[in-house]
Protein backbone atom coordinates (compact mmCIF):
# COMPACT_ATOMS: atom_id res chain seq x y z
CA UNK A 1 0.00 0.00 0.00
CA UNK A 2 1.41 3.38 -0.99
CA UNK A 3 1.78 5.82 1.89
CA UNK A 4 -0.51 8.81 1.38
CA UNK A 5 1.08 12.23 1.12
CA UNK A 6 -0.49 15.48 2.33
CA UNK A 7 -1.69 17.86 -0.36
CA UNK A 8 0.23 21.11 0.05
CA UNK A 9 -1.01 24.61 -0.77
CA UNK A 10 1.99 26.96 -0.81
CA UNK A 11 1.36 30.67 -0.21
CA UNK A 12 3.84 33.28 -1.40
CA UNK A 13 2.53 36.81 -1.97
CA UNK A 14 5.84 38.48 -2.90
CA UNK A 15 5.60 40.65 -6.00
CA UNK A 16 9.33 40.37 -6.77
CA UNK A 17 11.90 37.59 -6.81
CA UNK A 18 14.29 37.30 -3.93
CA UNK A 19 15.79 34.48 -1.89
CA UNK A 20 12.46 33.41 -0.41
CA UNK A 21 10.91 32.97 -3.83
CA UNK A 22 13.95 31.04 -5.07
CA UNK A 23 13.62 28.68 -2.12
CA UNK A 24 9.85 28.30 -2.56
CA UNK A 25 10.43 27.36 -6.20
CA UNK A 26 13.20 24.89 -5.34
CA UNK A 27 11.02 23.20 -2.72
CA UNK A 28 7.99 22.92 -5.01
CA UNK A 29 10.13 21.43 -7.77
CA UNK A 30 11.63 18.83 -5.44
CA UNK A 31 8.26 17.90 -3.91
CA UNK A 32 6.84 17.49 -7.43
CA UNK A 33 9.52 14.88 -8.12
CA UNK A 34 8.28 13.01 -5.06
CA UNK A 35 4.69 12.92 -6.23
CA UNK A 36 3.20 15.54 -3.92
CA UNK A 37 0.01 17.24 -5.07
CA UNK A 38 0.69 20.95 -4.75
CA UNK A 39 -0.82 24.33 -5.43
CA UNK A 40 0.43 27.89 -5.16
CA UNK A 41 -1.48 30.93 -3.99
CA UNK A 42 0.31 33.96 -5.47
CA UNK A 43 -0.39 37.18 -7.32
CA UNK A 44 -0.99 36.16 -10.95
CA UNK A 45 1.56 38.63 -12.36
CA UNK A 46 4.32 37.79 -9.88
CA UNK A 47 7.58 36.09 -10.93
CA UNK A 48 6.95 33.14 -8.60
CA UNK A 49 3.55 32.50 -10.24
CA UNK A 50 5.17 32.60 -13.69
CA UNK A 51 7.91 30.19 -12.60
CA UNK A 52 5.48 27.68 -11.10
CA UNK A 53 3.22 27.76 -14.17
CA UNK A 54 6.14 26.26 -16.09
CA UNK A 55 5.94 23.15 -13.89
CA UNK A 56 3.38 20.51 -14.79
CA UNK A 57 0.39 19.67 -12.65
CA UNK A 58 0.62 22.53 -10.12
CA UNK A 59 -2.41 24.74 -9.69
CA UNK A 60 -1.75 28.48 -9.36
CA UNK A 61 -4.50 30.62 -7.85
CA UNK A 62 -5.02 34.23 -6.88
CA UNK A 63 -5.05 35.26 -3.20
CA UNK A 64 -8.58 36.54 -3.75
CA UNK A 65 -9.70 32.91 -4.00
CA UNK A 66 -8.19 32.15 -0.59
CA UNK A 67 -9.67 35.28 0.92
CA UNK A 68 -13.12 35.47 -0.67
CA UNK A 69 -13.87 31.87 -1.59
CA UNK A 70 -11.96 29.68 0.87
CA UNK A 71 -14.49 26.85 0.50
CA UNK A 72 -13.00 26.22 -2.93
CA UNK A 73 -9.79 25.05 -1.22
CA UNK A 74 -11.15 22.08 0.70
CA UNK A 75 -9.05 19.62 -1.31
CA UNK A 76 -5.81 20.75 0.41
CA UNK A 77 -4.45 19.24 3.63
CA UNK A 78 -1.78 21.77 4.66
CA UNK A 79 -1.13 25.42 3.82
CA UNK A 80 2.51 26.54 3.83
CA UNK A 81 3.12 30.29 4.17
CA UNK A 82 6.53 31.26 2.81
CA UNK A 83 6.51 35.00 3.59
CA UNK A 84 4.91 37.47 5.96
CA UNK A 85 1.74 38.45 4.12
CA UNK A 86 0.92 34.85 3.30
CA UNK A 87 0.80 34.10 7.02
CA UNK A 88 -2.53 35.93 7.33
CA UNK A 89 -4.09 33.97 4.48
CA UNK A 90 -2.94 30.70 6.06
CA UNK A 91 -4.48 31.78 9.36
CA UNK A 92 -7.72 32.72 7.58
CA UNK A 93 -7.92 29.31 5.92
CA UNK A 94 -7.57 27.64 9.30
CA UNK A 95 -10.34 29.79 10.73
CA UNK A 96 -12.71 29.14 7.84
CA UNK A 97 -11.71 25.68 6.60
CA UNK A 98 -9.79 24.20 9.56
CA UNK A 99 -6.78 23.87 7.28
CA UNK A 100 -3.56 23.18 9.17
CA UNK A 101 -0.67 25.47 8.31
CA UNK A 102 3.09 25.89 8.48
CA UNK A 103 5.00 29.17 8.56
CA UNK A 104 8.56 29.54 7.28
CA UNK A 105 10.20 32.65 8.73
CA UNK A 106 13.15 34.00 6.73
CA UNK A 107 13.88 37.21 8.63
CA UNK A 108 16.35 37.96 11.41
CA UNK A 109 13.90 40.40 13.03
CA UNK A 110 10.74 39.20 14.80
CA UNK A 111 7.32 39.89 13.22
CA UNK A 112 5.64 43.17 14.10
CA UNK A 113 3.86 43.11 17.44
CA UNK A 114 0.23 43.29 16.35
CA UNK A 115 -2.72 41.37 17.74
CA UNK A 116 -3.61 39.65 14.47
CA UNK A 117 0.03 38.86 13.75
CA UNK A 118 0.43 37.18 17.13
CA UNK A 119 -2.77 35.23 16.52
CA UNK A 120 -1.54 34.09 13.12
CA UNK A 121 1.84 32.89 14.43
CA UNK A 122 0.43 31.42 17.65
CA UNK A 123 -2.15 29.33 15.77
CA UNK A 124 0.30 27.85 13.26
CA UNK A 125 0.67 24.08 13.51
CA UNK A 126 4.41 24.29 12.86
CA UNK A 127 6.86 27.19 12.96
CA UNK A 128 10.07 27.00 10.92
CA UNK A 129 13.08 29.33 10.87
CA UNK A 130 15.75 29.14 8.19
CA UNK A 131 18.56 30.02 10.60
CA UNK A 132 19.32 30.17 14.30
CA UNK A 133 18.61 33.90 14.20
CA UNK A 134 15.23 33.39 12.52
CA UNK A 135 14.35 30.68 15.04
CA UNK A 136 15.25 32.96 17.95
CA UNK A 137 13.06 35.72 16.55
CA UNK A 138 10.11 33.31 16.42
CA UNK A 139 10.77 31.96 19.91
CA UNK A 140 10.89 35.49 21.28
CA UNK A 141 7.67 36.38 19.46
CA UNK A 142 5.64 33.31 20.46
CA UNK A 143 7.29 31.88 23.60
CA UNK A 144 6.75 28.25 24.55
CA UNK A 145 6.20 27.21 20.94
CA UNK A 146 8.68 24.77 19.40
CA UNK A 147 10.45 26.03 16.30
CA UNK A 148 12.12 23.80 13.72
CA UNK A 149 15.21 24.96 11.84
CA UNK A 150 15.35 24.13 8.15
CA UNK A 151 18.11 25.79 6.16
CA UNK A 152 17.74 27.03 2.62
CA UNK A 153 19.44 25.08 -0.15
CA UNK A 154 21.73 25.76 -3.06
CA UNK A 155 20.11 26.08 -6.49
CA UNK A 156 21.49 22.75 -7.73
CA UNK A 157 23.10 24.46 -10.71
CA UNK A 158 26.88 24.61 -11.06
CA UNK A 159 28.63 27.27 -13.18
CA UNK A 160 29.32 26.38 -16.81
CA UNK A 161 33.07 26.90 -17.38
CA UNK A 162 32.56 28.09 -20.96
CA UNK A 163 29.94 30.64 -19.92
CA UNK A 164 32.09 31.74 -16.99
CA UNK A 165 34.96 32.49 -19.36
CA UNK A 166 32.65 34.38 -21.70
CA UNK A 167 31.24 36.48 -18.87
CA UNK A 168 34.72 37.49 -17.74
CA UNK A 169 35.59 38.33 -21.34
CA UNK A 170 32.41 40.38 -21.80
CA UNK A 171 33.14 42.28 -18.60
CA UNK A 172 36.66 43.01 -19.81
CA UNK A 173 38.39 41.50 -16.78
CA UNK A 174 42.07 41.91 -17.51
CA UNK A 175 45.05 39.85 -16.45
CA UNK A 176 45.88 40.57 -12.84
CA UNK A 177 42.45 42.07 -12.16
CA UNK A 178 40.23 40.73 -9.38
CA UNK A 179 36.52 40.45 -10.13
CA UNK A 180 34.58 41.24 -6.96
CA UNK A 181 30.84 40.64 -6.96
CA UNK A 182 27.73 41.11 -4.90
CA UNK A 183 24.23 39.72 -5.52
CA UNK A 184 21.09 40.81 -3.76
CA UNK A 185 18.29 43.33 -3.67
CA UNK A 186 19.61 46.86 -4.02
CA UNK A 187 18.43 48.02 -0.61
CA UNK A 188 21.34 49.60 1.22
CA UNK A 189 19.66 49.62 4.65
CA UNK A 190 19.53 45.83 4.37
CA UNK A 191 22.42 44.74 2.17
CA UNK A 192 24.99 47.46 2.91
CA UNK A 193 26.03 48.17 -0.69
CA UNK A 194 27.31 51.67 0.09
CA UNK A 195 29.86 50.19 2.44
CA UNK A 196 31.13 47.97 -0.38
CA UNK A 197 31.38 50.98 -2.68
CA UNK A 198 33.37 52.79 0.01
CA UNK A 199 35.67 49.75 0.13
CA UNK A 200 36.11 50.00 -3.66
CA UNK A 201 37.25 53.62 -3.29
CA UNK A 202 39.75 52.60 -0.63
CA UNK A 203 41.07 49.75 -2.81
CA UNK A 204 41.63 52.16 -5.72
CA UNK A 205 43.58 54.53 -3.49
CA UNK A 206 45.82 51.63 -2.51
CA UNK A 207 46.48 50.76 -6.15
CA UNK A 208 44.59 47.48 -6.46
CA UNK A 209 43.41 46.34 -9.90
CA UNK A 210 39.82 45.10 -9.75
CA UNK A 211 36.27 45.38 -10.99
CA UNK A 212 33.17 45.37 -8.78
CA UNK A 213 29.83 44.17 -10.15
CA UNK A 214 26.42 44.33 -8.48
CA UNK A 215 23.85 41.74 -9.56
CA UNK A 216 20.21 42.39 -8.75
CA UNK A 217 17.83 45.29 -8.69
CA UNK A 218 15.86 47.26 -6.15
CA UNK A 219 14.57 50.66 -5.02
CA UNK A 220 18.02 52.05 -4.22
CA UNK A 221 19.56 51.41 -7.63
CA UNK A 222 19.55 55.02 -8.83
CA UNK A 223 20.93 56.26 -5.52
CA UNK A 224 23.66 53.63 -5.51
CA UNK A 225 24.63 54.36 -9.10
CA UNK A 226 24.94 58.03 -8.20
CA UNK A 227 27.04 57.06 -5.18
CA UNK A 228 29.56 55.39 -7.50
CA UNK A 229 30.20 58.63 -9.40
CA UNK A 230 33.74 58.61 -10.72
CA UNK A 231 34.27 54.88 -10.15
CA UNK A 232 34.62 53.34 -13.62
CA UNK A 233 35.49 50.00 -12.02
CA UNK A 234 31.97 49.58 -10.57
CA UNK A 235 29.06 48.31 -12.65
CA UNK A 236 25.43 47.41 -12.02
CA UNK A 237 24.33 44.41 -14.08
CA UNK A 238 20.70 44.33 -12.95
CA UNK A 239 18.87 41.01 -12.81
CA UNK A 240 20.87 38.29 -14.55
CA UNK A 241 19.24 35.08 -15.73
CA UNK A 242 22.28 32.83 -15.42
CA UNK A 243 23.20 33.88 -11.90
CA UNK A 244 25.21 30.68 -11.22
CA UNK A 245 27.55 31.43 -14.14
CA UNK A 246 28.00 35.04 -13.06
CA UNK A 247 28.81 33.91 -9.52
CA UNK A 248 31.27 31.37 -10.93
CA UNK A 249 33.01 34.15 -12.86
CA UNK A 250 33.91 35.97 -9.64
CA UNK A 251 37.21 35.87 -7.78
CA UNK A 252 35.62 37.12 -4.58
CA UNK A 253 32.09 37.60 -3.26
CA UNK A 254 31.39 40.44 -0.82
CA UNK A 255 28.22 40.46 1.28
CA UNK A 256 28.22 43.35 3.78
CA UNK A 257 24.61 42.97 4.98
CA UNK A 258 23.50 45.05 7.94
CA UNK A 259 21.02 42.31 8.94
CA UNK A 260 20.22 38.98 7.29
CA UNK A 261 17.87 36.07 7.95
CA UNK A 262 20.31 33.67 6.30
CA UNK A 263 21.64 34.98 2.98
CA UNK A 264 20.77 31.97 0.83
CA UNK A 265 22.78 33.32 -2.12
CA UNK A 266 25.86 32.51 -0.05
CA UNK A 267 25.11 28.79 -0.44
CA UNK A 268 25.36 29.13 -4.22
CA UNK A 269 28.57 31.13 -3.86
CA UNK A 270 30.02 28.41 -1.63
CA UNK A 271 28.89 25.72 -4.09
CA UNK A 272 30.68 27.62 -6.87
CA UNK A 273 33.96 27.61 -4.94
CA UNK A 274 34.18 31.41 -4.68
CA UNK A 275 35.72 32.86 -1.47
CA UNK A 276 33.42 35.00 0.66
CA UNK A 277 33.75 38.11 2.79
CA UNK A 278 30.51 38.67 4.72
CA UNK A 279 29.20 40.30 7.87
CA UNK A 280 28.76 38.37 11.09
CA UNK A 281 25.03 39.06 11.43
CA UNK A 282 21.80 37.07 11.58
CA UNK A 283 22.01 33.68 9.93
CA UNK A 284 25.24 34.28 7.99
CA UNK A 285 27.45 32.56 10.61
CA UNK A 286 25.23 29.47 10.24
CA UNK A 287 26.80 29.16 6.80
CA UNK A 288 30.18 30.89 6.96
CA UNK A 289 32.70 30.06 9.68
CA UNK A 290 35.32 32.76 10.12
CA UNK A 291 38.72 31.80 8.70
CA UNK A 292 37.42 28.31 7.86
CA UNK A 293 34.83 28.73 5.11
CA UNK A 294 35.00 32.49 4.64
CA UNK A 295 35.97 35.75 6.28
CA UNK A 296 33.47 37.38 8.65
CA UNK A 297 33.51 41.04 9.66
CA UNK A 298 31.44 43.19 11.97
CA UNK A 299 28.54 45.03 10.30
CA UNK A 300 29.05 48.64 9.21
CA UNK A 301 32.81 48.24 9.67
CA UNK A 302 34.63 49.49 6.58
CA UNK A 303 38.08 48.75 8.01
CA UNK A 304 37.32 45.05 8.59
CA UNK A 305 35.51 44.67 5.26
CA UNK A 306 38.54 46.12 3.48
CA UNK A 307 40.90 43.87 5.42
CA UNK A 308 38.90 40.78 4.45
CA UNK A 309 38.84 41.68 0.77
CA UNK A 310 42.56 42.41 0.72
CA UNK A 311 43.40 39.18 2.55
CA UNK A 312 41.58 37.12 -0.10
CA UNK A 313 43.19 39.11 -2.91
CA UNK A 314 46.70 38.77 -1.51
CA UNK A 315 46.56 35.21 -0.14
CA UNK A 316 45.21 33.00 -2.98
CA UNK A 317 46.34 29.72 -1.38
CA UNK A 318 44.45 30.49 1.82
CA UNK A 319 41.46 31.70 -0.20
CA UNK A 320 41.40 28.40 -2.08
CA UNK A 321 41.51 26.47 1.20
CA UNK A 322 38.51 28.25 2.72
CA UNK A 323 36.64 27.88 -0.57
CA UNK A 324 37.16 24.10 -0.51
CA UNK A 325 35.81 23.92 3.03
CA UNK A 326 32.84 26.08 2.03
CA UNK A 327 32.13 23.83 -0.96
CA UNK A 328 31.92 20.77 1.29
CA UNK A 329 29.43 22.57 3.56
CA UNK A 330 27.33 23.78 0.63
CA UNK A 331 27.09 20.32 -0.93
CA UNK A 332 25.18 19.12 2.12
CA UNK A 333 22.57 21.87 1.70
CA UNK A 334 20.88 20.42 -1.38
CA UNK A 335 17.24 20.84 -2.47
CA UNK A 336 16.79 17.15 -1.66
CA UNK A 337 17.97 17.67 1.91
CA UNK A 338 15.73 20.71 2.36
CA UNK A 339 12.74 18.80 0.99
CA UNK A 340 13.45 15.86 3.32
CA UNK A 341 13.18 18.19 6.31
CA UNK A 342 9.96 19.80 5.05
CA UNK A 343 8.43 16.39 4.36
CA UNK A 344 9.11 15.47 7.99
CA UNK A 345 7.38 18.69 9.09
CA UNK A 346 4.37 17.99 6.88
CA UNK A 347 4.08 14.41 8.11
CA UNK A 348 4.27 15.58 11.71
CA UNK A 349 0.98 17.49 11.43
CA UNK A 350 -0.76 15.43 8.72
Amino acid sequence: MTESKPRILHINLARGWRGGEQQTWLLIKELAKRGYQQGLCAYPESPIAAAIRELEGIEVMSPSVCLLAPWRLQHWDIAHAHEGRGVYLAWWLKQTQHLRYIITRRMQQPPKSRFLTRQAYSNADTLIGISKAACRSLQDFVPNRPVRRISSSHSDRLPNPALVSQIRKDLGVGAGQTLIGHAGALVDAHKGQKLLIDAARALLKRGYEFQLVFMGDGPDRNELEAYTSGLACVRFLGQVNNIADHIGALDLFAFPSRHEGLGSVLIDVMAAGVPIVATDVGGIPDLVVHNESGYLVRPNNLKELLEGIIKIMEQPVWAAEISRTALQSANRLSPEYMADRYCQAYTHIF
Side-chain angles (χ1 to χ4, degrees):
M1 181 177 178
T2 304
E3 182 182 356
S4 62
K5 296 181 175 70
R7 298 162 295 181
I8 311 298
L9 175 63
H10 302 275
I11 306 175
N12 190 313
L13 303 184
R15 293 188 180 274
W17 184 280
R18 295 179 67 173
E21 290 62 63
Q22 172 80 358
Q23 296 300 316
T24 303
W25 177 70
L26 288 170
L27 177 60
I28 291 174
K29 281 207 310 176
E30 184 59 33
L31 292 177
K33 295 177 187 176
R34 303 180 185 205
Y36 276 79
Q37 181 180 338
Q38 301 176 88
L40 173 69
C41 177
Y43 289 110
E45 72 283 1
S46 67
I48 184 67
I52 297 304
R53 286 193 195 97
E54 295 182 1
L55 304 177
E56 291 185 6
I58 299 177
E59 181 182 358
V60 179
M61 67 203 72
S62 166
S64 61
V65 174
C66 300
L67 185 63
L68 303 177
W71 59 87
R72 292 173 54 185
L73 305 176
Q74 293 178 350
H75 57 294
W76 302 108
D77 298 308
I78 297 172
H80 185 166
H82 291 268
E83 47 74 52
R85 286 169 294 183
V87 168
Y88 301 106
L89 273 187
W91 173 84
W92 173 245
L93 292 176
K94 187 168 189 177
Q95 303 308 304
T96 59
Q97 303 302 311
H98 307 290
L99 186 63
R100 288 158 287 189
Y101 67 99
I102 283 175
I103 297 172
T104 294
R105 180 73 180 171
R106 306 182 188 277
M107 306 291 287
Q108 177 183 349
Q109 306 93 332
K112 293 183 178 179
S113 184
R114 299 167 177 161
F115 175 77
L116 181 57
T117 306
R118 290 193 178 275
Q119 288 294 306
Y121 278 87
S122 297
N123 281 277
D125 294 272
T126 297
L127 295 171
I128 293 169
I130 64 169
S131 65
K132 291 177 184 177
C135 289
R136 282 194 298 269
S137 74
L138 285 171
Q139 289 162 343
D140 291 343
F141 190 68
V142 280
N144 304 317
R145 287 293 311 277
V147 179
R148 292 176 177 241
R149 179 158 67 101
I150 301 179
S151 177
S152 298
S153 81
H154 60 67
S155 63
D156 209 22
R157 187 190 183 289
L158 294 176
N160 181 315
L163 293 177
V164 164
S165 297
Q166 186 61 48
I167 289 168
R168 289 181 67 89
K169 182 179 178 181
D170 292 344
L171 291 173
V173 181
Q177 274 194 330
T178 300
L179 183 58
I180 304 170
H182 174 277
L186 298 182
V187 182
D188 178 66
H190 178 189
K191 299 294 186 180
Q193 287 102 348
K194 284 185 178 179
L195 198 70
L196 184 51
I197 295 168
D198 290 339
R201 283 198 172 88
L203 288 171
L204 280 178
K205 288 180 180 179
R206 298 188 184 197
Y208 287 96
E209 295 286 334
F210 70 95
Q211 289 192 44
L212 170 61
V213 293
F214 288 95
M215 294 170 274
D217 216 330
D220 290 352
R221 178 165 181 170
N222 290 340
E223 181 181 350
L224 290 169
E225 287 183 334
Y227 195 70
T228 64
S229 177
L231 295 177
C233 60
V234 180
R235 278 192 274 183
F236 291 82
L237 305 183
Q239 297 287 4
V240 294
N241 293 325
N242 53 337
I243 183 68
D245 300 315
H246 280 77
I247 288 173
L250 303 176
D251 299 303
L252 187 161
F253 188 85
F255 202 62
S257 295
R258 306 183 198 277
H259 58 86
E260 197 69 57
L262 182 67
S264 57
V265 68
L266 293 173
I267 308 174
D268 285 326
V269 177
M270 295 162 71
V274 176
I276 292 169
V277 177
T279 40
D280 188 1
V281 296
I284 291 176
D286 286 7
L287 301 173
V288 180
V289 179
H290 182 56
N291 274 333
E292 291 185 18
S293 55
Y295 192 96
L296 293 180
V297 304
R298 286 176 292 181
N300 304 309
N301 192 309
L302 175 60
K303 179 176 179 291
E304 291 186 6
L305 177 63
L306 191 60
E307 287 173 352
I309 292 172
I310 290 173
K311 184 173 182 179
I312 288 176
M313 293 173 75
E314 293 188 344
Q315 299 185 31
V317 174
W318 173 80
E321 288 175 357
I322 64 170
S323 297
R324 281 193 293 271
T325 302
L327 175 60
Q328 293 171 357
S329 298
N331 285 339
R332 294 192 287 268
L333 299 175
S334 65
E336 293 82 6
Y337 178 75
M338 177 176 67
D340 285 343
R341 303 292 305 281
Y342 275 112
C343 288
Q344 293 170 9
Y346 297 147
T347 301
H348 180 71
I349 65 172
F350 179 46

